[in-house]
Amino acid sequence: MKIKESLETQTNFQQIPHFEEAQQDQNPGRQLQKIREVVPGFKEWFKATGKVSAFQSFDLIKIPYPKKYGLWRAGRSPVPFIWFTNRMFIVQWEAQGRTWTLLNEPSETELDAGTPYYSALIEKYGDFLSKTVLTKRYGTVEGYLDEVGLKPGDVDFITFDHLHTQDVRRWLGTNKAQQDLSPNKPLEAYFPNAKLIVQQKEWEILPYLHPLQKIWYQPKTYEDIPMDRILFTNGDVLLGPGVALMFTPGHTQGNHSLVVNTDTGIWVSSENAIAAECLVPEESGIPGLKQYAKHTKFDIVINGNTLENTSRQYNSLVQEKLMADPSRKDPKIPQFFPSSELTPSFFSIGTRPSFMHKKVAFGTIKRPDSEQA
């Protein structure tokens, strides 16, 4: 499927050219300078596109994650793990005379456990300890949709900032029977109308994973996904008034970030950092972050596990930091809402966040056909 053809089938999508020159620059220092120069103009343009009609978050699961990844080299805690909460976001906007619905980060938490990294943890600590004591489940994608009154057929798009851990077979269906889920016939899609929006660069690495990448992906689960359920993008894309997917590679080659304009200004979400204070470490109360930033002169603290391109991820996170408007709770903290947000845990001494967004709830989620009812 060609990128141009994919975007043209969705006439409310628009390729965003603002960062193209910066993205093509292979000199990381010069690229960062270009990003800083471009952001103000892009923010002004983006805000002029309008605001979303709804933007709400929903807690899915709290899980352990290595501190050396989540807080990079900045955290001082002696414990090896931190805990973060994976969240789903529902975004709606008005365009072409109707309401459009996007699920951002609709993780299928049961199937995510098949990721090599997490399956190894389960094997090490045991099924009961891993899934009951070390993990806390808050809700499911299906349950939250029912709670807000949406039907599976109401969902137009799903997306993830990258495909680490994700298994989307239940959401999109398969062409063939699946031995572990449906051994006698192909899986029927739970979301009959939704397409997965994914950067083509992210999709293309799945058959050829590097050893640094392999423990975080489940590539075989994508082999039988119908290709007409995939909407490839390349770079920055405006989905509709006040909602865009901004190309932010580094954490993975095809990482992108959700950018949303609301009544409190611009919000940005990705997993390039696990706490909003990681974008302003000089304001952080997490032991080690403020001192680390002062010593290194770094602007941010990345979430680095695969380390595919550390300088590029640094630049992407600075871009997100500059894009996000100040929080109404604390103007020193940006409206960057991590898709996996650092969360207090009894087991992670010395890593308690000093600021959490916890929840966003703008507008009222509604069924697309309710306007004709």
Side-chain angles (χ1 to χ4, degrees):
M1 185 184 296
K2 295 180 181 178
I3 300 296
K4 185 176 180 181
E5 293 175 347
S6 299
L7 292 176
E8 286 179 349
T9 62
Q10 303 294 340
T11 56
N12 62 317
F13 282 21
Q14 178 182 341
Q15 199 76 37
I16 298 171
H18 294 68
F19 293 99
E20 286 180 357
E21 182 180 344
Q23 290 166 358
Q24 293 168 5
D25 198 324
Q26 299 303 305
N27 181 312
R30 188 169 57 210
Q31 180 186 73
L32 181 58
Q33 180 179 331
K34 289 180 178 179
I35 287 172
R36 293 184 188 277
E37 294 170 352
V38 170
V39 166
F42 174 74
K43 289 185 69 171
E44 182 179 358
W45 174 86
F46 178 67
K47 286 185 175 183
T49 68
K51 298 176 183 177
V52 295
S53 55
F55 175 43
Q56 298 189 19
S57 63
F58 303 85
D59 296 357
L60 293 174
I61 188 172
K62 183 167 77 170
I63 55 175
Y65 184 71
K67 181 202 66 183
K68 64 182 179 181
Y69 297 152
L71 296 177
W72 188 220
R73 297 163 178 167
R76 285 185 174 178
S77 170
V79 299
F81 291 103
I82 53 91
W83 268 255
F84 57 37
T85 299
N86 293 139
R87 294 190 172 98
M88 174 180 73
F89 300 88
I90 298 179
V91 187
Q92 290 188 323
W93 65 93
E94 308 296 324
Q96 299 177 307
R98 57 158 291 189
T99 300
W100 297 83
T101 302
L102 166 74
L103 302 187
N104 186 63
E105 304 297 328
S107 296
E108 224 291 18
T109 55
E110 289 291 338
L111 297 183
D112 287 356
T115 305
Y117 177 81
Y118 284 108
S119 61
L121 280 184
I122 293 171
E123 182 177 352
K124 180 177 180 179
Y125 293 106
D127 196 72
F128 173 78
L129 186 63
S130 299
K131 294 184 177 182
T132 305
V133 178
L134 300 180
T135 300
K136 182 176 181 179
R137 298 180 185 277
Y138 299 103
T140 64
V141 173
E142 303 96 318
Y144 285 129
L145 287 178
D146 185 62
E147 184 179 300
V148 300
L150 288 178
K151 303 296 183 183
D154 297 333
V155 177
D156 298 294
F157 310 107
I158 65 173
T159 196
F160 304 88
D161 47 16
H162 56 282
L163 296 179
H164 279 178
T165 77
Q166 305 300 337
D167 181 340
V168 298
R169 289 175 295 167
R170 284 180 179 163
W171 297 158
L172 301 180
T174 60
N175 290 320
K176 299 178 182 178
Q178 303 296 294
Q179 191 60 41
D180 58 334
L181 297 176
S182 179
N184 298 318
K185 61 179 182 179
L187 270 173
E188 185 175 346
Y190 182 77
F191 296 116
N193 302 318
K195 291 192 176 185
L196 171 68
I197 305 175
V198 63
Q199 295 283 332
Q200 188 169 28
K201 289 182 178 181
E202 185 76 0
W203 186 269
E204 289 178 346
I205 67 173
L206 294 174
Y208 308 103
L209 292 174
H210 187 274
L212 288 171
Q213 301 168 320
K214 285 183 177 179
I215 62 171
W216 296 105
Y217 286 96
Q218 301 190 69
K220 289 190 176 298
T221 67
Y222 293 88
E223 293 177 356
D224 300 323
I225 300 294
M227 291 304 293
D228 63 358
R229 305 303 304 277
I230 312 299
L231 184 60
F232 293 108
T233 57
N234 186 12
D236 307 317
V237 180
L238 182 73
L239 305 185
V243 57
L245 294 173
M246 187 170 67
F247 185 47
T248 51
H251 186 76
T252 71
Q253 293 181 43
N255 201 87
H256 62 202
S257 304
L258 177 68
V259 184
V260 177
N261 189 30
T262 71
D263 289 339
T264 64
I266 295 175
W267 287 78
V268 181
S269 179
S270 81
E271 207 179 67
N272 274 322
I274 63 166
E277 61 197 282
C278 287
L279 278 67
V280 282
E282 68 278 6
E283 304 293 340
S284 176
I286 300 173
L289 264 68
K290 183 181 296 185
Q291 295 85 346
Y292 180 76
K294 183 177 180 180
H295 174 71
T296 61
K297 304 293 192 294
F298 287 180
D299 299 279
I300 45 84
V301 174
I302 65 169
N303 167 31
N305 50 4
T306 54
L307 302 181
E308 292 183 27
N309 190 334
T310 307
S311 62
R312 186 63 181 94
Q313 184 179 357
Y314 183 103
N315 291 357
S316 290
L317 189 55
V318 170
Q319 182 174 333
E320 293 174 282
K321 172 181 178 176
L322 297 174
M323 278 296 304
D325 281 323
S327 167
R328 293 288 179 89
K329 290 194 233 177
D330 184 347
K332 295 178 181 178
I333 305 293
Q335 290 185 155
F336 173 84
F337 200 156
S339 52
S340 298
E341 186 177 33
L342 180 64
T343 305
S345 172
F346 172 80
F347 300 106
S348 56
I349 301 167
T351 61
R352 185 180 183 87
S354 54
F355 180 93
M356 293 182 68
H357 287 299
K358 294 185 181 179
K359 177 74 177 174
V360 291
F362 295 97
T364 301
I365 295 170
K366 59 185 178 182
R367 293 201 65 197
D369 63 352
S370 62
E371 295 154 316
Q372 287 85 38

